[in-house]
Amino acid sequence: AKGGVSIADSMLECEKRPDVRDYIFTGLQAVTWMRIQEHQLESLRQVALGVLLATPRYASLQSQAMQSLDLRIPGEVRLQRLRLPRPVRLCCSSANPGAARVAEELCDRLGRENVTVTIEDAASIPRGDLGRRRSSVSFFFSQTNTLGHAFLLYLNSTTWDSADPDRCKALAGHVTRARDRGESLLMVHEADLTRGGCEFGIFFQLTPQSLIDGGIYEQLAVTWFEPPHRDISIARTAKKLGA
C-alpha cells in the first residue's frame, strides 16, 4: 500500500545492469523503513550511523565499530527504563513453539521480579476442550486487567502448522481456556525470517475457525522484527503489558 519492495525484488530490477546491482547491494546493509513511529526513529538512527561512517573521520573504521557509535535520539523507546506498575503473570503454552523464549525476552526487559512465567502443558487440556466452539465469548486485551494475568500467543510459520494437528488442537484448547478465565491475550507476530517469520495474513488461513469466529484477530498483534529493530519490538510489547 505504501510502495514497499523487498531487497530481492529490487535486485531483480537491476538484473540488466549487474555493475549497478553489485555497487548498490554488495557489502551494504539496507535500512528498513517501518510504518510505526518507534521503528522509524530506529531507522533514522541507522541512516545517521551510515552517514557518519561515510565521512572522512569514520570511514576508516571497521564495520564492528558501527556498534560502538552510540547515537541516541531523545525519547527513543529502546533507552526507556520500562517497569510494570504491578506484577504480571504471563502464561504460555508448551504447544506454542517459541512462546517460552519470547516470554523470557520480556522478563529480561522488564525485570524478573515483575513478571512470572508459567507454561501450560499440552497434556493438561481435557479432551472435550480441544477445538470446541465458544464464539459467544470474545478475546480482549486490557491494561487495567485487575488480575494481572495475560496469555502469550506467539505467531510464526509453525504456530498453526497443519502437519501437526494434535499440537494445534492443544494450543487452541489453551487459548480457549485462557479466554474463558478472562485473561488478557497478548499476541506477538514474528517477522524475522531466521525465527520462522511470515506474513500475518497466513494465520487467517491456518488458525482454527472457532478462534477466528471468537475474534482472536480483532486486536492487533505486536510484530517482532529482526535486529536492530528487535529491541524496539520487545519494548513495545512491554508497553502493551502496561509498562
Side-chain angles (χ1 to χ4, degrees):
K2 298 291 185 179
V5 64
S6 68
I7 294 296
D9 288 340
S10 294
M11 293 179 70
L12 286 175
E13 292 177 353
C14 299
E15 62 180 348
K16 293 183 179 180
R17 290 293 306 275
D19 56 327
V20 174
R21 180 195 60 206
D22 294 343
Y23 174 73
I24 295 174
F25 296 106
T26 300
L28 295 176
Q29 180 67 42
V31 176
T32 302
W33 184 255
M34 309 286 190
R35 62 181 178 84
I36 302 169
Q37 182 181 12
E38 293 93 338
H39 290 288
Q40 288 178 347
L41 287 177
E42 175 59 27
S43 295
L44 288 172
R45 195 177 73 88
Q46 294 298 316
V47 170
L49 282 171
V51 171
L52 278 177
L53 290 176
T55 61
R57 180 174 180 178
Y58 295 99
S60 61
L61 296 179
Q62 299 297 318
S63 59
Q64 60 265 28
M66 188 171 182
Q67 302 299 325
S68 64
L69 296 177
D70 189 19
L71 293 185
R72 301 188 177 192
I73 300 176
E76 60 178 311
V77 70
R78 72 184 182 94
L79 300 177
Q80 294 177 10
R81 181 177 174 83
L82 300 177
R83 287 294 180 265
L84 293 168
R86 65 183 184 284
V88 168
R89 182 175 70 85
L90 194 59
C91 182
C92 54
S93 170
S94 64
N96 187 188
R101 173 181 52 78
V102 167
E104 288 297 312
E105 291 185 71
L106 281 170
C107 286
D108 290 340
R109 186 65 171 85
L110 288 168
R112 294 181 179 274
E113 69 278 7
N114 296 310
V115 183
T116 300
V117 178
T118 60
I119 301 176
E120 292 194 2
D121 188 356
S124 68
I125 298 295
R127 184 172 297 275
D129 284 356
L130 297 181
R132 62 191 174 125
R133 300 178 67 88
R134 294 289 296 276
S135 58
S136 60
V137 183
S138 62
F139 291 91
F140 69 97
F141 190 93
S142 171
Q143 293 185 0
T144 59
N145 182 359
T146 56
L147 295 176
H149 295 172
F151 185 88
L152 171 64
L153 179 61
Y154 176 61
L155 299 166
N156 71 357
S157 60
T158 65
T159 303
W160 302 115
D161 187 357
S162 58
D164 194 356
D166 291 340
R167 181 188 59 76
C168 291
K169 286 182 179 179
L171 176 57
H174 278 147
V175 174
T176 300
R177 288 178 65 183
R179 176 186 62 185
D180 293 347
R181 292 193 299 260
E183 294 185 1
S184 300
L185 179 64
L186 177 64
M187 289 191 295
V188 169
H189 166 224
E190 184 62 73
D192 187 343
L193 296 179
T194 65
R195 299 172 184 250
C198 59
E199 294 290 335
F200 192 85
I202 71 167
F203 300 125
F204 290 97
Q205 305 170 27
L206 301 176
T207 305
Q209 192 61 43
S210 59
L211 298 182
I212 294 178
D213 291 344
I216 188 173
Y217 296 134
E218 290 180 1
Q219 63 171 292
L220 295 177
V222 181
T223 302
W224 282 30
F225 298 100
E226 66 277 2
H229 289 270
R230 194 79 173 181
D231 288 342
I232 289 87
S233 298
I234 295 173
R236 291 185 62 240
T237 308
K239 284 193 169 186
K240 196 165 186 180
L241 276 174

